Amino acid sequence: MQYSTQMLAQNKVWAYEAALADSTLFGRISRGQSPRVLWFGCSDSRVPAESVTGCGLGDLFVHRNIANIVSPDDPSAMSVIEYAVVALQVEEIVVCGHYGCGGVRASLLPAPDELPHVGRRIGPLRALACRCGGELDRLADVDAKTNRLAELNVLEQVRSLRAMDVIRDAPQPPKIHGWIFDTRSGLIKVLDPTDE
């Protein structure tokens, strides 16, 4: 059996159980969305935003890409940010990276020829790794370097968001948080010192 067939069967069970737990759920979410938070995360399958935060349907507006990179040159990311801030008027934006990120690790290694799109996507990470080379070089191994660069990347994306006109010009600019998910413990760590 294909995994997609199993997924469809699991969806039926999930929908039944969700409606049993809250008979108003599907009627409520079918009328529209009003999430309070934009989640900007990594595409990694181990870090689903709703699961790791305990949020439900409609709680988060989500954008995910390799290594949670916020780039003004990325029309997909920028349209999500614009819609979240202007149309949905989210109150908060969370940039959440994670330890053991494959995109971050790849930025520390030579670019493979067979993944040119990934190579372009992680270009900003390679540049960040170069700028922070002294700090990263003092770390013992590639895992420690990857995890520290993942933290630095989140902080860089927070800075990028805070500098965007769409954020600064909003009538009520959303608060922006920098977090990292620890795949070893399941816990989220706050990285941004202004986020207490």
PDB file of all heavy atoms in Angstrom, residues 124-154:
ATOM      1  N   PRO A 124      22.352  32.524   1.357  1.00  0.00           N
ATOM      2  CA  PRO A 124      22.469  33.448   2.483  1.00  0.00           C
ATOM      3  C   PRO A 124      23.064  32.803   3.735  1.00  0.00           C
ATOM      4  O   PRO A 124      23.758  33.462   4.512  1.00  0.00           O
ATOM      5  CB  PRO A 124      21.011  33.884   2.736  1.00  0.00           C
ATOM      6  CG  PRO A 124      20.316  33.666   1.443  1.00  0.00           C
ATOM      7  CD  PRO A 124      20.984  32.468   0.825  1.00  0.00           C
ATOM      8  N   LEU A 125      22.815  31.518   3.913  1.00  0.00           N
ATOM      9  CA  LEU A 125      23.411  30.809   5.055  1.00  0.00           C
ATOM     10  C   LEU A 125      24.921  30.671   4.892  1.00  0.00           C
ATOM     11  O   LEU A 125      25.666  30.788   5.865  1.00  0.00           O
ATOM     12  CB  LEU A 125      22.800  29.411   5.184  1.00  0.00           C
ATOM     13  CG  LEU A 125      21.581  29.290   6.053  1.00  0.00           C
ATOM     14  CD1 LEU A 125      20.968  27.907   5.920  1.00  0.00           C
ATOM     15  CD2 LEU A 125      21.907  29.572   7.488  1.00  0.00           C
ATOM     16  N   ARG A 126      25.349  30.403   3.666  1.00  0.00           N
ATOM     17  CA  ARG A 126      26.796  30.321   3.407  1.00  0.00           C
ATOM     18  C   ARG A 126      27.459  31.664   3.729  1.00  0.00           C
ATOM     19  O   ARG A 126      28.526  31.715   4.331  1.00  0.00           O
ATOM     20  CB  ARG A 126      27.066  29.945   1.956  1.00  0.00           C
ATOM     21  CG  ARG A 126      26.715  28.531   1.620  1.00  0.00           C
ATOM     22  CD  ARG A 126      27.154  28.187   0.190  1.00  0.00           C
ATOM     23  NE  ARG A 126      26.605  26.931  -0.238  1.00  0.00           N
ATOM     24  CZ  ARG A 126      27.012  25.745   0.154  1.00  0.00           C
ATOM     25  NH1 ARG A 126      27.997  25.649   1.001  1.00  0.00           N
ATOM     26  NH2 ARG A 126      26.443  24.641  -0.298  1.00  0.00           N
ATOM     27  N   ALA A 127      26.804  32.749   3.331  1.00  0.00           N
ATOM     28  CA  ALA A 127      27.345  34.085   3.611  1.00  0.00           C
ATOM     29  C   ALA A 127      27.383  34.346   5.116  1.00  0.00           C
ATOM     30  O   ALA A 127      28.355  34.901   5.637  1.00  0.00           O
ATOM     31  CB  ALA A 127      26.512  35.143   2.900  1.00  0.00           C
ATOM     32  N   LEU A 128      26.330  33.954   5.819  1.00  0.00           N
ATOM     33  CA  LEU A 128      26.300  34.119   7.274  1.00  0.00           C
ATOM     34  C   LEU A 128      27.395  33.297   7.935  1.00  0.00           C
ATOM     35  O   LEU A 128      28.072  33.775   8.855  1.00  0.00           O
ATOM     36  CB  LEU A 128      24.922  33.720   7.822  1.00  0.00           C
ATOM     37  CG  LEU A 128      24.723  33.825   9.332  1.00  0.00           C
ATOM     38  CD1 LEU A 128      24.911  35.270   9.810  1.00  0.00           C
ATOM     39  CD2 LEU A 128      23.343  33.293   9.719  1.00  0.00           C
ATOM     40  N   ALA A 129      27.598  32.082   7.461  1.00  0.00           N
ATOM     41  CA  ALA A 129      28.663  31.231   8.007  1.00  0.00           C
ATOM     42  C   ALA A 129      30.033  31.872   7.808  1.00  0.00           C
ATOM     43  O   ALA A 129      30.885  31.806   8.706  1.00  0.00           O
ATOM     44  CB  ALA A 129      28.616  29.845   7.364  1.00  0.00           C
ATOM     45  N   CYS A 130      30.243  32.513   6.666  1.00  0.00           N
ATOM     46  CA  CYS A 130      31.512  33.216   6.420  1.00  0.00           C
ATOM     47  C   CYS A 130      31.687  34.384   7.379  1.00  0.00           C
ATOM     48  O   CYS A 130      32.760  34.579   7.946  1.00  0.00           O
ATOM     49  CB  CYS A 130      31.589  33.695   4.978  1.00  0.00           C
ATOM     50  SG  CYS A 130      31.871  32.390   3.789  1.00  0.00           S
ATOM     51  N   ARG A 131      30.608  35.170   7.570  1.00  0.00           N
ATOM     52  CA  ARG A 131      30.682  36.317   8.483  1.00  0.00           C
ATOM     53  C   ARG A 131      30.938  35.888   9.920  1.00  0.00           C
ATOM     54  O   ARG A 131      31.557  36.618  10.686  1.00  0.00           O
ATOM     55  CB  ARG A 131      29.392  37.147   8.412  1.00  0.00           C
ATOM     56  CG  ARG A 131      29.230  37.920   7.133  1.00  0.00           C
ATOM     57  CD  ARG A 131      28.171  39.007   7.222  1.00  0.00           C
ATOM     58  NE  ARG A 131      26.892  38.598   7.753  1.00  0.00           N
ATOM     59  CZ  ARG A 131      25.882  38.087   7.042  1.00  0.00           C
ATOM     60  NH1 ARG A 131      26.038  37.894   5.741  1.00  0.00           N
ATOM     61  NH2 ARG A 131      24.742  37.779   7.615  1.00  0.00           N
ATOM     62  N   CYS A 132      30.463  34.726  10.287  1.00  0.00           N
ATOM     63  CA  CYS A 132      30.598  34.239  11.668  1.00  0.00           C
ATOM     64  C   CYS A 132      31.661  33.156  11.776  1.00  0.00           C
ATOM     65  O   CYS A 132      31.687  32.402  12.758  1.00  0.00           O
ATOM     66  CB  CYS A 132      29.258  33.684  12.152  1.00  0.00           C
ATOM     67  SG  CYS A 132      27.933  34.893  12.112  1.00  0.00           S
ATOM     68  N   GLY A 133      32.532  33.085  10.781  1.00  0.00           N
ATOM     69  CA  GLY A 133      33.534  32.026  10.722  1.00  0.00           C
ATOM     70  C   GLY A 133      34.387  31.894  11.961  1.00  0.00           C
ATOM     71  O   GLY A 133      34.668  30.788  12.417  1.00  0.00           O
ATOM     72  N   GLY A 134      34.826  33.022  12.533  1.00  0.00           N
ATOM     73  CA  GLY A 134      35.662  32.967  13.727  1.00  0.00           C
ATOM     74  C   GLY A 134      34.973  32.250  14.868  1.00  0.00           C
ATOM     75  O   GLY A 134      35.557  31.382  15.515  1.00  0.00           O
ATOM     76  N   GLU A 135      33.716  32.596  15.113  1.00  0.00           N
ATOM     77  CA  GLU A 135      32.960  31.949  16.193  1.00  0.00           C
ATOM     78  C   GLU A 135      32.729  30.471  15.894  1.00  0.00           C
ATOM     79  O   GLU A 135      32.895  29.616  16.761  1.00  0.00           O
ATOM     80  CB  GLU A 135      31.614  32.645  16.382  1.00  0.00           C
ATOM     81  CG  GLU A 135      30.749  31.987  17.436  1.00  0.00           C
ATOM     82  CD  GLU A 135      29.385  32.619  17.608  1.00  0.00           C
ATOM     83  OE1 GLU A 135      29.131  33.706  17.038  1.00  0.00           O
ATOM     84  OE2 GLU A 135      28.558  32.015  18.320  1.00  0.00           O
ATOM     85  N   LEU A 136      32.364  30.161  14.662  1.00  0.00           N
ATOM     86  CA  LEU A 136      32.079  28.771  14.299  1.00  0.00           C
ATOM     87  C   LEU A 136      33.338  27.913  14.326  1.00  0.00           C
ATOM     88  O   LEU A 136      33.288  26.741  14.715  1.00  0.00           O
ATOM     89  CB  LEU A 136      31.415  28.711  12.924  1.00  0.00           C
ATOM     90  CG  LEU A 136      30.047  29.381  12.811  1.00  0.00           C
ATOM     91  CD1 LEU A 136      29.565  29.378  11.366  1.00  0.00           C
ATOM     92  CD2 LEU A 136      29.029  28.728  13.726  1.00  0.00           C
ATOM     93  N   ASP A 137      34.480  28.489  13.935  1.00  0.00           N
ATOM     94  CA  ASP A 137      35.735  27.727  13.909  1.00  0.00           C
ATOM     95  C   ASP A 137      36.182  27.285  15.297  1.00  0.00           C
ATOM     96  O   ASP A 137      36.922  26.314  15.436  1.00  0.00           O
ATOM     97  CB  ASP A 137      36.850  28.540  13.242  1.00  0.00           C
ATOM     98  CG  ASP A 137      36.634  28.676  11.745  1.00  0.00           C
ATOM     99  OD1 ASP A 137      35.858  27.882  11.182  1.00  0.00           O
ATOM    100  OD2 ASP A 137      37.232  29.593  11.148  1.00  0.00           O
ATOM    101  N   ARG A 138      35.747  27.989  16.336  1.00  0.00           N
ATOM    102  CA  ARG A 138      36.126  27.619  17.701  1.00  0.00           C
ATOM    103  C   ARG A 138      35.341  26.422  18.224  1.00  0.00           C
ATOM    104  O   ARG A 138      35.657  25.882  19.284  1.00  0.00           O
ATOM    105  CB  ARG A 138      35.938  28.814  18.642  1.00  0.00           C
ATOM    106  CG  ARG A 138      36.962  29.925  18.407  1.00  0.00           C
ATOM    107  CD  ARG A 138      36.908  30.978  19.498  1.00  0.00           C
ATOM    108  NE  ARG A 138      35.687  31.748  19.503  1.00  0.00           N
ATOM    109  CZ  ARG A 138      35.468  32.841  18.781  1.00  0.00           C
ATOM    110  NH1 ARG A 138      36.410  33.300  17.982  1.00  0.00           N
ATOM    111  NH2 ARG A 138      34.318  33.494  18.853  1.00  0.00           N
ATOM    112  N   LEU A 139      34.306  26.014  17.496  1.00  0.00           N
ATOM    113  CA  LEU A 139      33.474  24.900  17.956  1.00  0.00           C
ATOM    114  C   LEU A 139      34.083  23.571  17.542  1.00  0.00           C
ATOM    115  O   LEU A 139      34.724  23.460  16.497  1.00  0.00           O
ATOM    116  CB  LEU A 139      32.049  25.044  17.422  1.00  0.00           C
ATOM    117  CG  LEU A 139      31.345  26.315  17.922  1.00  0.00           C
ATOM    118  CD1 LEU A 139      30.033  26.517  17.200  1.00  0.00           C
ATOM    119  CD2 LEU A 139      31.134  26.258  19.423  1.00  0.00           C
ATOM    120  N   ALA A 140      33.838  22.569  18.355  1.00  0.00           N
ATOM    121  CA  ALA A 140      34.539  21.293  18.254  1.00  0.00           C
ATOM    122  C   ALA A 140      34.226  20.477  17.012  1.00  0.00           C
ATOM    123  O   ALA A 140      35.126  19.896  16.406  1.00  0.00           O
ATOM    124  CB  ALA A 140      34.246  20.448  19.503  1.00  0.00           C
ATOM    125  N   ASP A 141      32.980  20.390  16.634  1.00  0.00           N
ATOM    126  CA  ASP A 141      32.634  19.486  15.532  1.00  0.00           C
ATOM    127  C   ASP A 141      31.530  20.078  14.661  1.00  0.00           C
ATOM    128  O   ASP A 141      30.975  21.131  14.963  1.00  0.00           O
ATOM    129  CB  ASP A 141      32.227  18.114  16.069  1.00  0.00           C
ATOM    130  CG  ASP A 141      31.029  18.168  17.017  1.00  0.00           C
ATOM    131  OD1 ASP A 141      30.169  19.052  16.852  1.00  0.00           O
ATOM    132  OD2 ASP A 141      30.955  17.319  17.921  1.00  0.00           O
ATOM    133  N   VAL A 142      31.208  19.357  13.601  1.00  0.00           N
ATOM    134  CA  VAL A 142      30.228  19.859  12.633  1.00  0.00           C
ATOM    135  C   VAL A 142      28.832  19.967  13.254  1.00  0.00           C
ATOM    136  O   VAL A 142      28.060  20.860  12.888  1.00  0.00           O
ATOM    137  CB  VAL A 142      30.234  19.011  11.338  1.00  0.00           C
ATOM    138  CG1 VAL A 142      29.649  17.638  11.565  1.00  0.00           C
ATOM    139  CG2 VAL A 142      29.520  19.735  10.208  1.00  0.00           C
ATOM    140  N   ASP A 143      28.502  19.091  14.201  1.00  0.00           N
ATOM    141  CA  ASP A 143      27.189  19.183  14.858  1.00  0.00           C
ATOM    142  C   ASP A 143      27.080  20.469  15.665  1.00  0.00           C
ATOM    143  O   ASP A 143      26.057  21.164  15.597  1.00  0.00           O
ATOM    144  CB  ASP A 143      26.939  17.977  15.768  1.00  0.00           C
ATOM    145  CG  ASP A 143      26.718  16.694  14.987  1.00  0.00           C
ATOM    146  OD1 ASP A 143      26.333  16.762  13.802  1.00  0.00           O
ATOM    147  OD2 ASP A 143      26.937  15.613  15.567  1.00  0.00           O
ATOM    148  N   ALA A 144      28.104  20.790  16.417  1.00  0.00           N
ATOM    149  CA  ALA A 144      28.101  22.025  17.213  1.00  0.00           C
ATOM    150  C   ALA A 144      28.061  23.246  16.297  1.00  0.00           C
ATOM    151  O   ALA A 144      27.341  24.217  16.577  1.00  0.00           O
ATOM    152  CB  ALA A 144      29.324  22.079  18.122  1.00  0.00           C
ATOM    153  N   LYS A 145      28.809  23.209  15.208  1.00  0.00           N
ATOM    154  CA  LYS A 145      28.803  24.326  14.250  1.00  0.00           C
ATOM    155  C   LYS A 145      27.423  24.471  13.604  1.00  0.00           C
ATOM    156  O   LYS A 145      26.906  25.585  13.456  1.00  0.00           O
ATOM    157  CB  LYS A 145      29.855  24.104  13.164  1.00  0.00           C
ATOM    158  CG  LYS A 145      31.270  24.246  13.667  1.00  0.00           C
ATOM    159  CD  LYS A 145      32.275  23.948  12.573  1.00  0.00           C
ATOM    160  CE  LYS A 145      33.671  24.002  13.174  1.00  0.00           C
ATOM    161  NZ  LYS A 145      34.723  23.808  12.199  1.00  0.00           N
ATOM    162  N   THR A 146      26.827  23.348  13.227  1.00  0.00           N
ATOM    163  CA  THR A 146      25.499  23.372  12.614  1.00  0.00           C
ATOM    164  C   THR A 146      24.477  23.980  13.568  1.00  0.00           C
ATOM    165  O   THR A 146      23.688  24.845  13.183  1.00  0.00           O
ATOM    166  CB  THR A 146      25.063  21.943  12.213  1.00  0.00           C
ATOM    167  OG1 THR A 146      25.971  21.430  11.241  1.00  0.00           O
ATOM    168  CG2 THR A 146      23.654  21.928  11.647  1.00  0.00           C
ATOM    169  N   ASN A 147      24.505  23.540  14.813  1.00  0.00           N
ATOM    170  CA  ASN A 147      23.518  24.031  15.779  1.00  0.00           C
ATOM    171  C   ASN A 147      23.711  25.510  16.099  1.00  0.00           C
ATOM    172  O   ASN A 147      22.738  26.258  16.222  1.00  0.00           O
ATOM    173  CB  ASN A 147      23.536  23.173  17.039  1.00  0.00           C
ATOM    174  CG  ASN A 147      22.982  21.783  16.779  1.00  0.00           C
ATOM    175  OD1 ASN A 147      22.309  21.548  15.773  1.00  0.00           O
ATOM    176  ND2 ASN A 147      23.255  20.863  17.675  1.00  0.00           N
ATOM    177  N   ARG A 148      24.971  25.943  16.211  1.00  0.00           N
ATOM    178  CA  ARG A 148      25.194  27.368  16.468  1.00  0.00           C
ATOM    179  C   ARG A 148      24.809  28.216  15.260  1.00  0.00           C
ATOM    180  O   ARG A 148      24.203  29.285  15.405  1.00  0.00           O
ATOM    181  CB  ARG A 148      26.658  27.627  16.866  1.00  0.00           C
ATOM    182  CG  ARG A 148      26.953  29.086  17.153  1.00  0.00           C
ATOM    183  CD  ARG A 148      26.081  29.633  18.273  1.00  0.00           C
ATOM    184  NE  ARG A 148      26.345  31.060  18.475  1.00  0.00           N
ATOM    185  CZ  ARG A 148      25.437  31.939  18.873  1.00  0.00           C
ATOM    186  NH1 ARG A 148      24.204  31.550  19.159  1.00  0.00           N
ATOM    187  NH2 ARG A 148      25.754  33.195  19.004  1.00  0.00           N
ATOM    188  N   LEU A 149      25.122  27.732  14.062  1.00  0.00           N
ATOM    189  CA  LEU A 149      24.731  28.475  12.864  1.00  0.00           C
ATOM    190  C   LEU A 149      23.208  28.507  12.721  1.00  0.00           C
ATOM    191  O   LEU A 149      22.649  29.511  12.278  1.00  0.00           O
ATOM    192  CB  LEU A 149      25.379  27.883  11.608  1.00  0.00           C
ATOM    193  CG  LEU A 149      25.140  28.640  10.303  1.00  0.00           C
ATOM    194  CD1 LEU A 149      25.561  30.106  10.397  1.00  0.00           C
ATOM    195  CD2 LEU A 149      25.850  27.945   9.145  1.00  0.00           C
ATOM    196  N   ALA A 150      22.523  27.457  13.137  1.00  0.00           N
ATOM    197  CA  ALA A 150      21.056  27.454  13.117  1.00  0.00           C
ATOM    198  C   ALA A 150      20.523  28.561  14.025  1.00  0.00           C
ATOM    199  O   ALA A 150      19.568  29.256  13.669  1.00  0.00           O
ATOM    200  CB  ALA A 150      20.511  26.092  13.551  1.00  0.00           C
ATOM    201  N   GLU A 151      21.145  28.753  15.197  1.00  0.00           N
ATOM    202  CA  GLU A 151      20.743  29.829  16.100  1.00  0.00           C
ATOM    203  C   GLU A 151      21.017  31.195  15.474  1.00  0.00           C
ATOM    204  O   GLU A 151      20.157  32.082  15.491  1.00  0.00           O
ATOM    205  CB  GLU A 151      21.493  29.718  17.426  1.00  0.00           C
ATOM    206  CG  GLU A 151      21.118  28.517  18.252  1.00  0.00           C
ATOM    207  CD  GLU A 151      21.956  28.383  19.508  1.00  0.00           C
ATOM    208  OE1 GLU A 151      23.038  28.997  19.602  1.00  0.00           O
ATOM    209  OE2 GLU A 151      21.519  27.640  20.414  1.00  0.00           O
ATOM    210  N   LEU A 152      22.217  31.361  14.931  1.00  0.00           N
ATOM    211  CA  LEU A 152      22.583  32.634  14.308  1.00  0.00           C
ATOM    212  C   LEU A 152      21.668  32.945  13.126  1.00  0.00           C
ATOM    213  O   LEU A 152      21.310  34.105  12.886  1.00  0.00           O
ATOM    214  CB  LEU A 152      24.048  32.606  13.865  1.00  0.00           C
ATOM    215  CG  LEU A 152      25.079  32.510  14.999  1.00  0.00           C
ATOM    216  CD1 LEU A 152      26.463  32.215  14.436  1.00  0.00           C
ATOM    217  CD2 LEU A 152      25.081  33.782  15.832  1.00  0.00           C
ATOM    218  N   ASN A 153      21.282  31.911  12.393  1.00  0.00           N
ATOM    219  CA  ASN A 153      20.381  32.085  11.258  1.00  0.00           C
ATOM    220  C   ASN A 153      19.019  32.606  11.715  1.00  0.00           C
ATOM    221  O   ASN A 153      18.458  33.515  11.108  1.00  0.00           O
ATOM    222  CB  ASN A 153      20.229  30.758  10.508  1.00  0.00           C
ATOM    223  CG  ASN A 153      19.279  30.877   9.336  1.00  0.00           C
ATOM    224  OD1 ASN A 153      19.366  31.792   8.524  1.00  0.00           O
ATOM    225  ND2 ASN A 153      18.348  29.942   9.256  1.00  0.00           N
ATOM    226  N   VAL A 154      18.477  32.049  12.791  1.00  0.00           N
ATOM    227  CA  VAL A 154      17.194  32.536  13.301  1.00  0.00           C
ATOM    228  C   VAL A 154      17.303  34.017  13.653  1.00  0.00           C
ATOM    229  O   VAL A 154      16.447  34.828  13.278  1.00  0.00           O
ATOM    230  CB  VAL A 154      16.742  31.714  14.529  1.00  0.00           C
ATOM    231  CG1 VAL A 154      15.592  32.411  15.259  1.00  0.00           C
ATOM    232  CG2 VAL A 154      16.328  30.313  14.109  1.00  0.00           C
TER     233      VAL A 154
END
